[in-house]
Amino acid sequence: MKLYIIRHGETFGNLNGDGFSETDLTPKGERQIELLGERFRNERIDKFYVSPLVRAVKTANAVREHHKSTPIIIDSLLLEKGTDPGYIGLADEKIKKLCPDAQINHRTPLGEENDEKAYSRAKRIIEKIKEENDFDSTVVVIAHGTFNSYLVLAALDFPLKENFNFSHVNTGVTLVQTIKENGIVKTKLKFLNDYSHLDEKPQL
């Protein structure tokens, strides 16, 4: 399986230091997701899994513009860590307005969440993705800067380490691939936080 883990485009919250509230994309973020969509124009994608926050749904739409028949699943397991404990994302009707054929999974609020709970949540969604897709599938996950680090750890079956995370710039792309070599299943990190599609390189 090819598992792409992608962060949404730049938001107004990213600019003012509030990356956890429900904030929309900036004009720069709109350009970033357009370029991200072009990057994946000719890539086979079998399924999208997307956070129910507006910035993630809009980012997914830009990629899916070239893959209109590919199923898109909205799942609250992909909410950003630090999201308001009672917030479950955009209302169904708002998601449907942005993406009429989206499948919206049952949603529950995250509640208060520490590192261990966030990592456990990441493992749950990774296991769900593995169960729902074939070994040769290509899956795109679009979520958030902090939570994507937990997703990468879970996908690689790495343990949680205190005060550690990966860098994920806006629309940064990470690829974790599961392959068979000589009958042995191996999981490989092919690349992390790639932003070569952007015309304005981010400051790291």
Side-chain angles (χ1 to χ4, degrees), residues 136-165:
D136 295 323
S137 296
T138 297
V139 175
V140 168
V141 173
I142 297 181
H144 306 276
T146 298
F147 191 63
N148 280 4
S149 286
Y150 297 98
L151 288 173
V152 174
L153 290 174
L156 294 170
D157 199 26
F158 283 1
L160 181 64
K161 186 176 181 180
E162 188 176 1
N163 298 322
F164 173 82
N165 58 58

Side-chain angles (χ1 to χ4, degrees), residues 20-197:
F20 305 105
S21 299
E22 182 72 278
T23 57
D24 210 341
L25 299 178
T26 64
K28 180 179 177 180
E30 295 282 359
R31 174 61 177 162
Q32 289 173 337
I33 66 171
E34 177 187 353
L35 293 169
L36 180 69
E38 287 298 320
R39 172 179 181 151
F40 282 90
R41 174 186 287 271
N42 297 314
E43 179 91 24
R44 192 194 88 207
I45 300 175
D46 297 297
K47 198 173 290 183
F48 291 89
Y49 289 82
V50 183
S51 162
L53 299 182
V54 64
R55 53 195 184 268
V57 177
K58 286 189 172 183
T59 300
N61 274 346
V63 180
R64 196 168 177 258
E65 182 67 26
H66 309 292
H67 306 273
K68 292 186 182 296
S69 63
T70 301
I72 180 168
I73 297 169
I74 308 297
D75 201 308
S76 61
L77 287 174
L78 292 168
L79 282 166
E80 176 65 303
K81 181 178 181 288
T83 299
D84 186 305
Y87 187 59
I88 59 172
L90 290 176
D92 287 6
E93 59 269 21
K94 291 185 178 181
I95 291 176
K96 289 291 189 178
K97 188 173 182 180
L98 290 169
C99 189
D101 60 340
Q103 173 188 322
I104 304 172
N105 283 354
H106 175 71
R107 295 191 277 171
T108 56
L110 300 179
E112 295 293 342
E113 192 174 56
N114 57 20
D115 285 344
E116 288 75 18
K117 287 183 178 179
Y119 180 53
S120 176
R121 175 161 61 93
K123 290 197 288 187
R124 285 166 57 200
I125 188 67
I126 291 296
E127 286 304 312
K128 179 187 286 192
I129 290 169
K130 290 179 179 179
E131 291 171 1
E132 294 178 353
N133 297 276
D134 296 332
F135 188 82
D136 295 323
S137 296
T138 297
V139 175
V140 168
V141 173
I142 297 181
H144 306 276
T146 298
F147 191 63
N148 280 4
S149 286
Y150 297 98
L151 288 173
V152 174
L153 290 174
L156 294 170
D157 199 26
F158 283 1
L160 181 64
K161 186 176 181 180
E162 188 176 1
N163 298 322
F164 173 82
N165 58 58
F166 297 105
S167 177
H168 300 277
V169 301
N170 293 115
T171 69
V173 180
T174 295
L175 174 57
V176 177
Q177 188 168 8
T178 305
I179 61 172
K180 285 184 180 178
E181 288 184 350
N182 301 318
I184 300 173
V185 176
K186 298 181 179 181
T187 301
K188 295 188 176 185
L189 179 62
K190 303 294 285 189
F191 53 80
L192 176 74
N193 192 35
D194 182 81
Y195 49 85
S196 57
H197 54 281

